[in-house]
């Protein structure tokens, strides 16, 4: 950031009093820009022991498969955002069952939250954001074609929990050297 979002004056990078990080600070109006992580929220949509995946019709990772997810909007809860993204990316109406995973990705300033969700029916279709939407048996997940490390990690955790018949909550981190690893 080079200019203040409040008054347009050039900003200086400095550590504000009582803080411990460099921030863009406006010497004119005193505004401090807190550039904090983005929250990505989505679902693991389930229907009759199958998981719904969407083939991305947008960048990044155009053409790769993903769980329906995206940036949370202001004035919505994390579950509302997850369900909105599921509808936008798959045309499916789902119901959140429980928060399943929270994956911090510090080097890209993101936190990914995925909810276990139940599809009301097997009604889904391609959308502007997804060129293809399909249900997959757990044994048929296209691992080499998954778009993001957080999706791979979440699906692996889901399969582990599914095998023991109990779904927990998983808090994990993806470091820079793990970003594209499956």
């Amino acid at each position: 950031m080079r200019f203040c979002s409040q008054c347009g004056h050039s900003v200086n990078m400095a550590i504000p009093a009582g803080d411990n990080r460099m921030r863009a600070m406006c010497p004119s109006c005193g505004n401090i820009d807190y550039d904090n992580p983005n929250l990505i929220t989505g679902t693991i949509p389930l229907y009759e022991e199958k998981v719904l995946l969407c083939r991305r019709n947008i960048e990044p990772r155009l053409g790769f498969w993903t769980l329906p997810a995206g940036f949370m909007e202001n004035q919505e809860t994390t579950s509302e955002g997850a369900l909105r993204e599921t509808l936008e990316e798959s045309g499916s109406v789902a119901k959140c069952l429980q928060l399943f995973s929270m994956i911090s990705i510090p080097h890209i300033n993101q936190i990914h939250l995925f909810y276990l969700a139940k599809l009301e029916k097997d009604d889904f279709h391609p959308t502007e954001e997804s060129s293809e939407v399909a249900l997959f048996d757990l044994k048929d997940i296209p691992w080499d074609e998954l778009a993001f490390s957080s999706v791979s990690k979440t699906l692996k955790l889901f399969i582990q929990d599914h095998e023991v018949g109990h779904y927990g909550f998983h808090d994990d981190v993806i470091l820079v050297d793990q970003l594209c690893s499956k």
Side-chain angles (χ1 to χ4, degrees), residues 45-52 135-139 141 158 162-163 167:
L46 305 171
Y47 186 78
E48 295 181 355
E49 300 285 317
K50 295 181 180 182
V51 63
L52 185 85
L135 289 169
F136 287 86
D137 285 316
L138 298 182
K139 64 180 175 34
I141 291 173
F158 172 76
H162 185 74
E163 288 173 354
Y167 302 98

Side-chain angles (χ1 to χ4, degrees), residues 147-158:
F148 305 108
S149 297
S150 62
V151 171
S152 296
K153 186 168 277 211
T154 294
L155 286 170
K156 287 176 183 176
L157 292 167
F158 172 76

Side-chain angles (χ1 to χ4, degrees), residues 12-179:
N12 299 323
M13 295 303 292
I15 299 174
D19 203 337
N20 62 2
R21 298 183 191 273
M22 296 289 282
R23 311 283 185 184
M25 297 177 58
C26 180
S28 178
C29 73
N31 183 58
I32 302 170
D33 181 59
Y34 293 93
D35 185 19
N36 295 323
N38 290 309
L39 189 58
I40 309 300
T41 185
T43 62
I44 306 166
L46 305 171
Y47 186 78
E48 295 181 355
E49 300 285 317
K50 295 181 180 182
V51 63
L52 185 85
L53 296 177
C54 303
R55 190 182 294 270
R56 292 182 59 81
N57 199 34
I58 56 174
E59 292 291 355
R61 308 289 286 161
L62 176 74
F64 285 83
W65 290 96
T66 189
L67 292 168
F71 291 102
M72 189 171 152
E73 298 289 349
N74 290 332
Q75 300 180 356
E76 70 182 358
T77 67
T78 55
S79 60
E80 287 170 343
L83 295 175
R84 175 187 49 75
E85 287 291 340
T86 301
L87 181 62
E88 287 177 4
E89 294 188 9
S90 70
S92 296
V93 174
K95 177 182 178 184
C96 284
L97 303 174
Q98 73 175 65
L99 184 57
F100 181 77
S101 67
M102 178 174 69
I103 301 176
S104 297
I105 311 175
H107 57 278
I108 59 170
N109 303 321
Q110 292 183 357
I111 300 167
H112 294 204
L113 295 174
F114 287 97
Y115 285 85
L116 287 179
K118 181 180 179 181
L119 295 178
E120 300 296 322
K121 51 188 171 182
D122 67 344
D123 182 22
F124 51 85
H125 54 80
T127 66
E128 284 187 36
E129 296 182 29
S130 303
S131 61
E132 188 178 350
V133 181
L135 289 169
F136 287 86
D137 285 316
L138 298 182
K139 64 180 175 34
D140 296 328
I141 291 173
W143 295 106
D144 291 337
E145 297 178 56
L146 293 179
F148 305 108
S149 297
S150 62
V151 171
S152 296
K153 186 168 277 211
T154 294
L155 286 170
K156 287 176 183 176
L157 292 167
F158 172 76
I159 289 171
Q160 289 172 3
D161 283 6
H162 185 74
E163 288 173 354
V164 297
H166 173 76
Y167 302 98
F169 172 72
H170 303 273
D171 181 3
D172 212 334
V173 176
I174 295 176
L175 302 173
V176 69
D177 61 338
Q178 300 170 320
L179 186 58

